[in-house]
Amino acid sequence: MTKKWIIAGIFLSCIVFAGCGKIFKEKNQTNSEEIMPDKYIVVGFSQLGAESDWRSANTESMKSTFTNENGFELIFEDGQQKQSNQIMAIRTFIQQEVDYIVLAPVIETGWDTVLQEAKDAGIPVIIVDRMVDVEDESLYTAWVGSDFALEGARAGEWINQFLQVKKIDNANIVNIQGTLGASAQIGRTKGLREACKANANTTLLTEVTGDFTQTKGKEVMESLLKKYDDINIVYCENDNEAFGVIEAIEATGKKVGSDIARGDIMVISFDGVKKEAMDYILKDKITCIVECNPLQGPLVQDIILQLEAGEIPDKFSYVDEGMYAHDDTVSSVVIDGVDYPITVVTQELLDVRAY
Ligand code: AHR
């Protein structure tokens, strides 16, 4: 390349960069009555992984909320199911001096030190989805997520009512748990244990973790089917595990469904995010799903905007969640005096449901 071309190249680059700078400035200095912010609010989001359809929907909710158009710059980090990765991400966010840290913690314990570091740096932390179990609750500003203990209680009560209506006195249940130590696992496991304790017609054969994934759900169900020949209910702590469990059951020639008296193995689960899961309810492959709502982005945005306005947001915000079933054997469940209706899944409902 001749000297002349090198100089021309440098000159051209200057023009291009100067142009970009101009576009950026115009965007941020628009006079349209402060519609555009002076600067973006920078949010560092440590997502725990990508283990399930629920998780993908939750990530999408955050990404579609924290956009430049909404006045945010999002730094997204996938923890790949490892707490150590999430701690590293939070430390990086602190170094980057983000305005807010949003954390979806993989498990509840082990966050005190890093959250203290964020607090010392003056960065508010908002916890989403699962809870953190910390000595000092001032280490986080707010939490948004599901009431997992209530989800478990609703599922357990549904099972007991179903067994009563169907007059089944020999329910042999296995629990495919979620990631051990995660709030979703703790609450859902508790719900089933308490329901079994309250009903002499049930036996909780065993509890094993399926890590909230389809692959692990299938793998553990395959070995459970070899170990026990009398399982008639499988309680899956999420839909992805249920998909794997159903594959494992059908591969043995057994039938999934709610006709336990005739030898079906009934599957119940949590989430109800993916169309496939709702289709499975229609077909009675999954008989009941307690919904877990992943759409938390807008609620986190509200909290940040309140903080920006100098207001104090609620410490805990719960998302709304329903319950879906194949038929109306159980029409509602009552927990602590509150009646939770159950929606029977029909093709019409699926046709209008947004996924
Ligand atoms: O913490 C929420 C749970 O995590 C969802 O039920 C599950 O699908 C996900 O992996």
Side-chain angles (χ1 to χ4, degrees):
M1 204 187 277
T2 67
K3 207 169 164 189
K4 192 174 80 188
W5 282 112
I6 293 172
I7 292 168
I10 293 170
F11 181 67
L12 253 177
S13 310
C14 288
I15 294 177
V16 169
F17 281 122
C20 288
K22 188 161 173 276
I23 291 166
F24 181 75
K25 270 187 169 170
E26 276 174 358
K27 190 174 177 195
N28 287 289
Q29 290 180 352
T30 178
N31 284 332
S32 54
E33 293 306 316
E34 310 311 326
I35 290 171
M36 296 298 286
D38 288 343
K39 73 170 187 76
Y40 294 126
I41 298 169
V42 182
V43 175
F45 175 37
S46 168
Q47 177 59 286
L48 67 90
E51 75 286 1
S52 63
D53 298 316
W54 188 97
R55 188 67 48 202
S56 308
N58 182 250
T59 296
E60 181 47 33
S61 173
M62 296 296 175
K63 286 187 173 172
S64 60
T65 301
F66 296 109
T67 58
N68 288 172
E69 293 71 36
N70 287 345
F72 295 94
E73 183 187 325
L74 178 68
I75 308 174
F76 177 84
E77 288 295 337
D78 179 343
Q80 301 185 350
Q81 302 290 331
K82 289 200 175 75
Q83 186 177 36
S84 55
N85 289 344
Q86 293 201 274
I87 290 175
M88 207 151 62
I90 294 172
R91 292 203 166 119
T92 309
F93 295 153
I94 295 171
Q95 276 166 12
Q96 291 169 318
E97 298 182 357
V98 300
D99 298 311
Y100 296 91
I101 292 173
V102 178
L103 167 67
V106 62
I107 54 169
E108 290 192 347
T109 53
W111 300 102
D112 298 72
T113 306
V114 76
L115 293 189
Q116 184 66 55
E117 290 167 27
K119 188 178 176 187
D120 293 344
I123 304 174
V125 174
I126 298 158
I127 309 291
V128 295
D129 173 23
R130 304 172 185 174
M131 288 266 188
V132 289
D133 180 5
V134 283
E135 286 277 306
D136 172 6
E137 281 198 349
S138 79
L139 292 182
Y140 60 92
T141 303
W143 170 89
V144 169
S146 306
D147 187 336
F148 297 110
L150 177 62
E151 287 180 0
R154 286 161 85 171
E157 178 58 22
W158 185 92
I159 292 175
N160 280 347
Q161 275 199 49
F162 179 90
L163 296 174
Q164 195 183 358
V165 175
K166 297 282 183 184
K167 299 188 173 39
I168 292 164
D169 58 9
N170 63 338
N172 296 314
I173 307 173
V174 292
N175 181 8
I176 314 297
Q177 296 169 292
T179 303
L180 298 180
S183 313
Q185 174 272 313
I186 295 169
R188 293 168 188 173
T189 295
K190 182 167 175 266
L192 180 64
R193 282 183 191 165
E194 285 179 356
C196 288
K197 219 184 281 172
N199 185 348
N201 292 329
T202 60
T203 306
L204 182 53
L205 294 173
T206 190
E207 300 171 326
V208 273
T209 181
D211 261 337
F212 286 128
T213 69
Q214 182 160 347
T215 315
K216 191 84 189 285
K218 183 175 177 202
E219 190 185 300
V220 295
M221 194 63 210
E222 282 166 350
S223 49
L224 291 178
L225 286 163
K226 284 180 195 142
K227 193 164 171 202
Y228 302 97
D229 61 3
D230 54 354
I231 299 169
N232 47 22
I233 298 181
V234 189
Y235 181 94
C236 300
E237 291 189 359
N238 83 345
D239 287 339
N240 289 84
E241 288 178 346
F243 298 150
V245 159
I246 291 165
E247 278 182 61
I249 295 171
E250 289 182 338
T252 65
K254 295 192 176 171
K255 187 172 164 291
V256 284
S258 56
D259 201 349
I260 294 177
R262 287 180 189 270
D264 283 2
I265 298 181
M266 182 168 76
V267 175
I268 82 149
S269 83
F270 297 82
D271 286 354
V273 170
K274 204 181 180 191
K275 187 172 182 305
E276 188 182 352
M278 303 305 278
D279 281 341
Y280 271 19
I281 302 188
L282 199 60
K283 294 180 184 143
D284 199 20
K285 286 193 180 219
I286 301 177
T287 304
C288 173
I289 291 180
V290 179
E291 184 186 21
C292 184
N293 182 349
L295 307 179
Q296 296 162 353
L299 291 170
V300 180
Q301 180 184 20
D302 281 355
I303 289 171
I304 291 178
L305 295 182
Q306 285 177 52
L307 292 167
E308 288 288 302
E311 294 163 13
I312 300 173
D314 288 342
K315 185 87 180 181
F316 299 97
S317 309
Y318 291 92
V319 286
D320 291 333
E321 301 181 325
M323 235 176 131
Y324 298 94
H326 174 69
D327 62 26
D328 63 356
T329 305
V330 180
S331 58
S332 71
V333 291
V334 177
I335 309 291
D336 294 332
V338 181
D339 194 88
Y340 297 96
I342 290 150
T343 306
V344 174
V345 172
T346 59
Q347 189 57 56
E348 295 71 52
L349 182 103
L350 299 190
D351 291 344
V352 296
R353 193 174 192 254
Y355 290 94

